[in-house]
C-alpha cells in the first residue's frame, strides 16, 4: 500500500489517506469535513470549523475525536458532534480551524 511506503520515508512524520470530503449545512453555517485513514487503518476526521463553547469543553470535545475502527463509526461520531452543537447553538459559536 502507498500509505505504508510513504510512512517508511525517514523525514515523513504522519501519513493519511483521504477517504472522503463533504460540505454540509449545520444550522446556518456551512461546515466542511473530511474522513481520513492513518497507517494503522484507523479512521479520523477533521472539520474546517470547530464549535467553541468554553475552554474546558473545547479541549474535551477535541480529545473525543481520535481514531475509529470503521468508517461508519467515524461518520456516526461526526454526525453526533454536529447534533450536539446544534442543541447548544445559542451558547457558543463556530471558529475557523486553521489546521484544516
Amino acid at each position: 500500500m502507498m500509505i505504508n511506503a510513504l510512512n517508511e520515508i525517514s523525514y515523513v512524520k504522519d501519513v493519511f489517506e483521504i477517504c472522503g470530503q463533504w460540505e454540509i449545512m449545520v444550522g446556518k453555517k456551512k461546515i466542511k469535513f473530511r474522513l481520513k485513514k492513518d497507517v494503522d487503518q484507523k479512521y479520523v476526521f477533521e472539520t474546517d470549523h470547530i464549535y467553541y463553547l468554553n475552554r474546558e469543553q473545547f479541549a474535551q470535545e477535541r480529545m473525543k475525536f481520535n481514531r475509529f475502527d470503521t468508517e461508519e463509526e467515524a461518520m456516526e461520531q461526526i454526525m453526533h458532534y454536529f447534533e450536539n452543537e446544534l442543541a447548544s447553538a445559542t451558547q457558543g459559536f463556530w471558529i475557523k480551524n486553521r489546521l484544516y
Side-chain angles (χ1 to χ4, degrees):
M1 292 173 72
M2 181 58 72
I3 194 168
N4 292 331
L6 291 170
N7 194 48
E8 294 295 321
I9 299 171
S10 63
Y11 56 83
V12 173
K13 184 176 178 179
D14 287 319
V15 180
F16 294 92
E17 175 184 345
I18 297 176
C19 302
Q21 295 188 131
W22 300 271
E23 288 184 8
I24 62 174
M25 293 297 291
V26 178
K28 295 180 180 179
K29 186 74 178 168
K30 183 191 303 183
I31 304 294
K32 298 176 185 176
F33 68 98
R34 61 180 150 235
L35 185 64
K36 306 185 300 185
K37 190 171 14 174
D38 66 16
V39 294
D40 297 324
Q41 302 300 302
K42 299 288 185 178
Y43 291 89
V44 297
F45 65 81
E46 58 190 5
T47 59
D48 73 332
H49 283 74
I50 302 167
Y51 193 76
Y52 187 84
L53 185 57
N54 59 52
R55 183 170 288 139
E56 291 77 27
Q57 183 193 21
F58 178 73
Q60 291 171 2
E61 290 296 318
R62 297 301 292 165
M63 296 301 283
K64 277 199 266 184
F65 307 125
N66 281 336
R67 301 166 69 205
F68 300 92
D69 292 326
T70 67
E71 188 172 338
E72 292 77 20
E73 285 177 327
M75 292 299 284
E76 181 179 314
Q77 184 62 41
I78 188 129
M79 291 304 127
H80 181 68
Y81 171 69
F82 291 140
E83 287 172 21
N84 286 343
E85 303 324 325
L86 278 175
S88 62
T90 59
Q91 302 168 353
F93 54 92
W94 291 97
I95 60 173
K96 187 77 172 162
N97 179 359
R98 293 185 216 161
L99 300 176
Y100 182 78

